[in-house]
Amino acid sequence: MESMDAASIWARPFVNGNRAPGYSAHHLIPVNKQKDNPGIADCWFYFDQPMKIDEIRVFMQDAKSDKIVREISYKISAEWK
């Protein structure tokens, strides 16, 4: 993959391979290669209702082309009561 100068990063909760319903989350996080510490992003989401999720996906979008260039999946087990 070609190096990017700027990107947006975000994370979202998933259940059984689908985006979880009823969550609130952070906006896209802009990251600039020249100014920011690459490799670190502070993402969050929450639920106002009971929910159990089994995956978190982190996305990276090239700021220049708007193309998603990375998608990373983390299998987890988390429950909101």
Side-chain angles (χ1 to χ4, degrees):
M1 178 176 81
E2 186 178 322
S3 179
M4 297 176 292
D5 290 325
S8 294
I9 298 173
W10 66 97
R12 296 298 183 257
F14 281 73
V15 178
N16 297 323
N18 297 305
R19 191 170 289 199
Y23 69 88
S24 294
H26 65 88
H27 295 286
L28 300 182
I29 300 168
V31 179
N32 184 302
K33 184 176 177 181
Q34 303 303 319
K35 298 178 192 172
D36 300 320
N37 183 4
I40 298 173
D42 191 10
C43 302
W44 58 266
F45 55 84
Y46 68 91
F47 296 91
D48 287 334
Q49 62 202 22
M51 177 61 64
K52 187 172 184 179
I53 64 170
D54 58 15
E55 179 183 9
I56 295 173
R57 293 186 193 175
V58 180
F59 300 89
M60 177 184 278
Q61 181 180 34
D62 183 335
K64 190 173 188 178
S65 69
D66 286 337
K67 179 181 174 187
I68 294 178
V69 294
R70 285 281 192 260
E71 181 177 333
I72 302 168
S73 172
Y74 296 96
K75 299 296 182 185
I76 67 162
S77 178
E79 188 172 353
W80 284 255
K81 294 184 176 190

